[in-house]
C-alpha cells in the first residue's frame, strides 16, 4: 500500500504514522524527519533547509522533490508519506515519477483538526534530539519529566514549535497544502478523518478505512 497523509502542522501525522506502519508493515517516509536528520548531520541540504524551516516557510520545491523522489525510489515495499507532498507541484512530480514505475498512491488520508487543538498540540510537543521520539507535556508524558524514555537524553522543543512560527506554518498550510485535497480528490481515494479526538480514537478511524485496502 502507498499512502499519503495530509494534515495541518500538529494534526498528528507523525503520531498516526507509527500506528499505520506497525499494522500494515509499511515504511514511514517523513520529509520533516529527513530534513531534521540532514540538519543534525550538517549536510548541504540541511544547511539550505534550516532558515526556511525555522521561520515556518516551506523548503523550496526543487530541494524537496529530488530528496523525496529519491527516498520513494529506494522503497522496496509499501510506504506512508508524511509531510510530502505539500504543494500541487510536489504532488504532480510525485505522480509523474510513480507513473514511470507503473505505481500509484492507493489512499490519501486527510486529518482534520481544529485550530485551537493544533495550537495546544504543537506548543506542548517535546522531542528527543537524538532519536526523534515525540512527547507532549500533557497528553504523552515521558516517564521522567523532560527526559526521553528510550535513551535518557534531555527533551527539547522544536525551534518551529513556538506560537508565533506556528501561525506562519498554518497560513502556509492553508495557502499551499490544503489545495492538495482537491488535487487528490480528482484521481485518488481520499478519506477525510476527524482527528480532533484521542490518538487511539483517530487510529481506529484510520484503520477502518485502510483495513479493506490491505
Ligand atoms: P514537518 O516536520 O513535516 O512538520 P508539520 O507538517 O508541520 O507537522 P508536525 O511534525 O508539526 O506535526 P504532526 O502532524 O506530525 O504532529 P505530531 O504527530 O508530531 O515539517 C517541518 C518543516 O519542514 C516545515 O515547516 C517545512 O519548513 C519543512 N518541510 C517538510 N516537508 C516539506 C515539504 N514537503 N515541502 C517543503 N517543506 C517541507 O503531533 C503533535 C503533538 O500532538 C505531539 O506532541 C503529539 O504527542 C500530540 N498528539 C498527536 N496526536 C494527538 C491526539 N490525537 N491527541 C492528543 N495529542 C496528540
Amino acid at each position: 500500500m502507498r499512502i499519503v497523509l495530509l494534515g495541518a502542522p500538529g494534526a498528528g501525522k507523525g503520531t498516526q504514522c507509527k500506528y499505520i506502519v506497525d499494522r500494515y508493515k509499511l515504511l514511514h517516509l517523513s520529509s520533516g524527519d529527513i530534513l531534521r536528520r540532514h540538519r543534525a548531520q550538517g549536510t548541504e541540504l540541511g544547511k539550505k533547509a534550516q532558515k526556511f524551516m525555522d521561520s515556518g516557510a516551506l523548503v523550496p520545491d526543487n530541494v524537496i522533490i529530488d530528496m523525496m523522489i529519491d527516498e520513494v525510489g529506494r522503497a522496496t515495499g509499501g510506504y506512508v508519506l508524511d509531510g510530502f507532498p505539500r504543494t500541487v507541484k510536489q504532488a504532480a512530480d510525485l505522480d509523474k515519477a510513480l507513473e514511470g514505475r507503473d505505481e500509484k498512491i492507493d489512499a490519501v488520508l486527510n486529518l482534520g483538526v481544529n485550530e485551537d487543538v493544533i495550537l495546544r498540540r504543537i506548543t506542548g510537543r517535546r522531542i528527543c534530539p537524538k532519536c526523534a521520539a515525540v512527547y507532549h507535556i500533557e497528553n504523552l508524558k515521558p516517564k521522567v519529566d523532560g527526559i526521553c524514555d528510550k535513551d535518557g537524553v534531555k527533551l527539547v522543543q522544536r525551534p518551529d514549535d513556538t506560537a508565533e512560527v506556528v501561525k506562519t506554518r498554518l497560513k502556509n498550510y492553508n495557502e499551499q497544502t490544503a489545495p492538495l485535497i482537491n488535487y487528490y480528490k480528482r484521481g485518488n481515494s481520499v478519506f477525510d478523518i476527524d482527528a480532533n479526538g484521542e490518538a487511539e480514537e483517530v487510529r481506529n478511524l484510520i484503520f477502518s478505512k485502510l483495513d479493506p485496502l490491505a
Side-chain angles (χ1 to χ4, degrees):
M1 239 187 327
R2 297 177 201 91
I3 300 170
V4 165
L5 200 48
L6 293 178
K13 300 182 293 297
T15 302
Q16 295 302 323
C17 274
K18 291 195 181 66
Y19 298 127
I20 296 171
V21 299
D22 269 6
R23 186 171 180 92
Y24 306 105
K25 307 294 167 233
L26 303 174
L27 183 65
H28 179 195
L29 294 175
S30 156
S31 48
D33 284 350
I34 296 167
L35 287 169
R36 281 183 285 278
R37 266 203 305 274
H38 274 280
R39 287 180 58 170
Q41 291 162 359
T43 68
E44 275 313 306
L45 197 157
K47 284 179 200 155
K48 257 190 225 164
Q50 180 159 352
K51 69 169 189 289
F52 297 101
M53 294 175 78
D54 288 353
S55 67
L58 292 189
V59 174
D61 278 344
N62 61 328
V63 176
I64 288 290
I65 290 169
D66 287 351
M67 179 185 94
M68 290 307 288
I69 287 181
D70 181 53
E71 294 280 340
V72 167
R74 281 191 279 120
T76 50
Y79 48 79
V80 48
L81 289 169
D82 163 7
F84 175 85
R86 232 174 172 105
T87 63
V88 171
K89 161 90 176 133
Q90 291 179 17
D93 281 14
L94 172 66
D95 278 348
K96 252 187 252 156
L98 291 178
E99 265 164 41
R101 291 200 295 274
D102 220 10
E103 291 174 0
K104 185 174 190 293
I105 296 298
D106 300 301
V108 177
L109 299 166
N110 176 34
L111 303 189
V113 184
N114 300 336
E115 208 162 304
D116 55 326
V117 177
I118 285 179
L119 281 175
R120 277 202 304 279
R121 285 189 189 169
I122 291 199
T123 51
R125 172 168 50 192
R126 298 292 181 271
I127 62 162
C128 172
K130 189 168 175 209
C131 72
V134 175
Y135 299 87
H136 191 278
I137 54 171
E138 287 161 4
N139 308 327
L140 189 59
K141 295 178 181 176
K143 289 185 190 117
V144 179
D145 197 26
I147 302 291
C148 180
D149 293 345
K150 294 177 188 160
D151 46 32
V153 169
K154 194 164 182 276
L155 302 178
V156 296
Q157 188 172 32
R158 270 171 46 177
D160 58 343
D161 273 355
T162 58
E164 198 186 328
V165 178
V166 171
K167 275 192 211 137
T168 309
R169 289 164 65 195
L170 280 172
K171 183 170 176 285
N172 289 336
Y173 172 81
N174 289 326
E175 289 174 3
Q176 300 183 68
T177 308
L180 278 182
I181 300 164
N182 281 334
Y183 171 91
Y184 277 120
K185 279 189 175 162
R186 288 197 285 271
N188 297 81
S189 303
V190 178
F191 301 105
D192 291 315
I193 307 285
D194 178 350
N196 286 291
E198 301 276 320
E200 287 78 13
E201 228 176 282
V202 179
R203 174 198 67 188
N204 293 343
L205 288 174
I206 291 176
F207 287 174
S208 73
K209 304 297 181 194
L210 294 183
D211 277 358
L213 308 179

